[in-house]
Amino acid sequence: MVQPEEAQLHQAPQSELVAKGEALFNDPSIGESGLSCATCHQDFGQYKETFKKPYPHFVNMANAKAGLDKVNAAEMVQLCMVVPMQTDPLPWQSESLAALAAYVQDERKRFAEHSR
């Protein structure tokens, strides 16, 4: 799930990516498990203290499932696609991956503010 050095995420205005990412975050059809990202993370559920830190940062699941010491937002999305969502990772250049990564980064900021 490590982002290849040559992989560039899709570029679009941040507000558009966050809005599309929010829709995808709540969509149970993006994976094969019947879960949406929000299934585990509704109302900031399942986020650990490390989620308050800007990416890249340590994530227990990324370390336990892939041996990674740090992940960026796109890598975390990819890992979630494969493990809990039980589907293939998204193409690195896809709008969907960029949107989910943008939303996760936005969610991280809101979580950090909420947890003060």
Side-chain angles (χ1 to χ4, degrees), residues 44 47 50-55 57 103-114:
F44 302 123
Y47 293 134
T50 56
F51 192 57
K52 292 179 185 178
K53 297 178 182 179
Y55 283 104
H57 63 243
Y103 182 75
V104 165
Q105 290 184 60
D106 189 68
E107 177 91 334
R108 187 209 62 77
K109 289 177 192 171
R110 288 183 281 114
F111 176 70
E113 290 171 6
H114 174 75

Side-chain angles (χ1 to χ4, degrees), residues 1-11 72 74-75 78 90-94 97-98:
M1 294 305 106
V2 175
Q3 183 173 347
E5 285 185 33
E6 70 279 0
Q8 298 294 317
L9 295 183
H10 174 82
Q11 297 295 305
N72 65 36
E75 291 167 335
Q78 296 288 48
L90 298 165
W92 287 103
Q93 70 284 1
S94 69
L97 178 58

Side-chain angles (χ1 to χ4, degrees), residues 19-101:
K20 181 172 176 106
E22 181 177 15
L24 290 169
F25 193 85
N26 290 287
D27 183 356
S29 72
I30 65 169
E32 299 296 322
S33 67
L35 303 174
S36 71
C37 304
T39 301
C40 294
H41 299 297
Q42 185 173 3
D43 298 323
F44 302 123
Q46 300 296 320
Y47 293 134
K48 308 293 184 222
E49 283 295 308
T50 56
F51 192 57
K52 292 179 185 178
K53 297 178 182 179
Y55 283 104
H57 63 243
F58 178 85
V59 176
N60 284 333
M61 186 174 86
N63 186 260
K65 300 290 183 182
L68 302 174
D69 291 328
K70 290 184 177 184
V71 292
N72 65 36
E75 291 167 335
M76 193 64 235
V77 168
Q78 296 288 48
L79 187 61
C80 285
M81 294 304 294
V82 172
V83 179
M85 308 300 272
Q86 300 175 1
T87 195
D88 293 330
L90 298 165
W92 287 103
Q93 70 284 1
S94 69
E95 182 181 28
S96 295
L97 178 58
L100 280 165

